[in-house]
Amino acid sequence: EAQVTQNPRYLITVTGKKLTVTCSQNMNHEYMSWYRQDPGLGLRQIYYSMNVEVTDKGDVPEGYKVSRKEKRNFPLILESPSPNQTSLYFCASSLRRGASEKLFFGSGTQLSVL
Amino acid sequence: AQSVTQLDSQVPVFEEAPVELRCNYSSSVSVYLFWYVQYPNQGLQLLLKYLSGSTLVKGINGFEAEFNKSQTSFHLRKPSVHISDTAEYFCAVRRTTTGTYKYIFGTGTRLKVLA
């Protein structure tokens, strides 16, 4: 089954404790991206990757890091989480070819930073 | 800079009634346009998209949208809604420029279908 898998689904942590949210896709997609969803603000793009070793900032990259060492994986790293990073996070992937362009989203990771 | 405006944060509508969810965008360059739906406790799914060609786009679950370049709008419509259409709907744009893959999403519209 074609899917984007995020882990964990829920995460509660404390300020300053480094964490990683994993994202993996099994569709051989070149494009992967991370979003955060906050009430009243919709989805905002954090980082995206056009292919292996190619990443770029979205609209809200501060406080986050990403890496793309393999095509299927695109982890999101919070080196020193802060309470304002409490949010619902989504990973998504897509083919890059025109008519096939369609974001496939994971089920989300609800992060609480205390 | 690009932006996407969804004018209605919530839209209540009775079952079997028609609905229109509004989306306007601002961009100095040409864009691709998308509507995604998010059911409770799930990720987003693509409803439909406009890349080129006919300005009336049909999607899944009976939804359609019309691209209006002069009004920079991409409103979503359904002639008769069902209870199962209750969800949050997001409009999104992406510049057509090769190599640019930044998506801008609107703030979402919660559609509540009433029995």
Side-chain angles (χ1 to χ4, degrees), chain B residues 38-89:
Chain B
Q38 184 179 31
Y39 297 105
N41 300 312
Q42 293 185 27
L44 283 73
Q45 306 171 35
L46 181 68
L47 266 181
L48 48 81
K49 63 186 176 186
Y50 173 79
L51 302 182
S52 64
S54 172
T55 56
L56 182 62
V57 180
K58 294 191 184 298
I60 61 172
N61 300 339
F63 283 93
E64 64 180 33
E66 185 151 22
F67 170 53
N68 188 319
K69 189 174 182 179
S70 62
Q71 297 188 5
T72 60
S73 67
F74 191 53
H75 300 332
L76 181 70
R77 302 186 185 100
K78 186 169 183 178
S80 176
V81 295
H82 303 290
I83 297 287
S84 59
D85 293 322
T86 294
E88 189 157 22
Y89 293 79

Side-chain angles (χ1 to χ4, degrees), chain A residues 25-96:
Chain A
Q25 50 93 4
N26 62 0
M27 296 168 279
N28 201 35
H29 287 169
E30 302 96 338
Y31 178 86
M32 296 185 76
S33 58
W34 277 102
Y35 302 83
R36 59 177 290 173
Q37 183 178 16
D38 301 289
L41 297 177
L43 274 80
R44 293 179 291 168
Q45 193 169 33
I46 303 170
Y47 270 95
Y48 65 97
S49 170
M50 303 285 276
N51 215 323
V52 176
E53 302 292 2
V54 181
T55 62
D56 207 349
K57 297 177 181 178
D59 289 323
V60 289
E62 296 78 17
Y64 304 95
K65 283 178 57 176
V66 293
S67 67
R68 186 93 181 271
K69 292 184 170 53
E70 304 167 283
K71 198 171 187 179
R72 64 183 292 124
N73 296 323
F74 191 45
L76 179 69
I77 303 159
L78 284 71
E79 294 269 3
S80 182
S82 62
N84 64 12
Q85 293 178 297
T86 292
S87 186
L88 179 59
Y89 292 85
F90 288 101
C91 179
S93 71
S94 174
L95 286 171
R96 287 170 51 184

